Amino acid sequence: SRVGHLRFTFQDTTTPYVLVEATRASVMGSADPTNVTYPHGAITIDPAKREITGRNPERRDFIIGPSPAPGFAGYFCARFDAPFAAFGVAQNGTVAEGENAGEGTLLAGYATFAPGSEKVDVRVGVSFISEEQACKNVDAEIPDGTSLEETAEKTRTAWAEKLDRIQVEGASQ
């Protein structure tokens, strides 16, 4: 419930990579699309753990209430099943290869994978508490060694169990 499992498939790509956006230009806090803000976030890359973690203060629920939630942050932990061939931080159009951390606006981290890599799986956990909690959510919900197919089957079973509780009567096709 707090973790996603993704697969990236690379075709005809000389340098397969994944970019993780920590922050971006946003209309946060307003339904007015001309009211652009630039949230301040953070990103950390740990190639030994094959992880990209970070925080983002952007809220997308501003439309349902007036609370600005000044201390809000969403934390994430993206854990990859393949080692990084290279990594770095991109900020406001500038790329710093080999840099493993950054803070600020328009911020992203990236990892490249060995030439010829055809697929890379990543498990992404989220938390409103901390990056550490986001990583713990990955450990708890999709432990190391769990395949995407296993996650998909577990998810289908969970949804079927919930939906099987509903009975509809009197409806036509």
Side-chain angles (χ1 to χ4, degrees):
S1 62
R2 293 166 297 275
V3 178
H5 201 157
L6 309 166
R7 175 170 292 152
F8 294 94
T9 303
F10 304 104
Q11 296 176 339
D12 302 321
T13 304
T14 56
T15 306
Y17 72 94
V18 173
L19 179 78
V20 178
E21 261 189 346
T23 61
R24 61 185 175 205
S26 171
V27 291
M28 180 175 73
S30 171
D32 177 2
T34 64
N35 184 17
V36 177
T37 61
Y38 297 90
H40 186 279
I43 200 151
T44 303
I45 303 163
D46 186 336
K49 291 182 178 180
R50 298 181 308 218
E51 286 181 353
I52 299 177
T53 58
R55 78 170 189 284
N56 181 330
E58 184 176 6
R59 287 180 62 226
R60 287 296 183 175
D61 63 348
F62 62 83
I63 197 76
I64 63 173
S67 172
F72 173 84
Y75 299 92
F76 61 88
C77 173
R79 189 174 299 150
F80 297 82
D81 73 343
F84 301 166
F87 58 90
V89 172
Q91 186 171 13
N92 200 20
T94 301
V95 176
E97 186 170 349
E99 189 71 38
N100 69 348
E103 285 196 40
T105 60
L106 301 173
L107 180 67
Y110 69 90
T112 66
F113 303 95
S117 295
E118 294 181 4
K119 69 175 183 156
V120 172
D121 286 3
V122 59
R123 297 164 292 143
V124 181
V126 296
S127 169
F128 293 127
I129 299 169
S130 67
E131 292 173 21
E132 295 79 16
Q133 185 62 48
C135 291
K136 286 180 183 179
N137 290 340
V138 173
D139 294 335
E141 294 188 31
I142 309 176
D144 290 347
T146 304
S147 72
L148 178 67
E149 291 75 19
E150 290 169 322
T151 300
E153 180 58 31
K154 182 179 173 184
T155 302
R156 278 192 292 276
T157 300
W159 272 103
E161 189 276 325
K162 300 290 188 257
L163 292 173
D164 283 349
R165 297 177 186 179
I166 300 169
Q167 291 185 1
V168 177
E169 295 177 6
S172 66
Q173 251 337 354

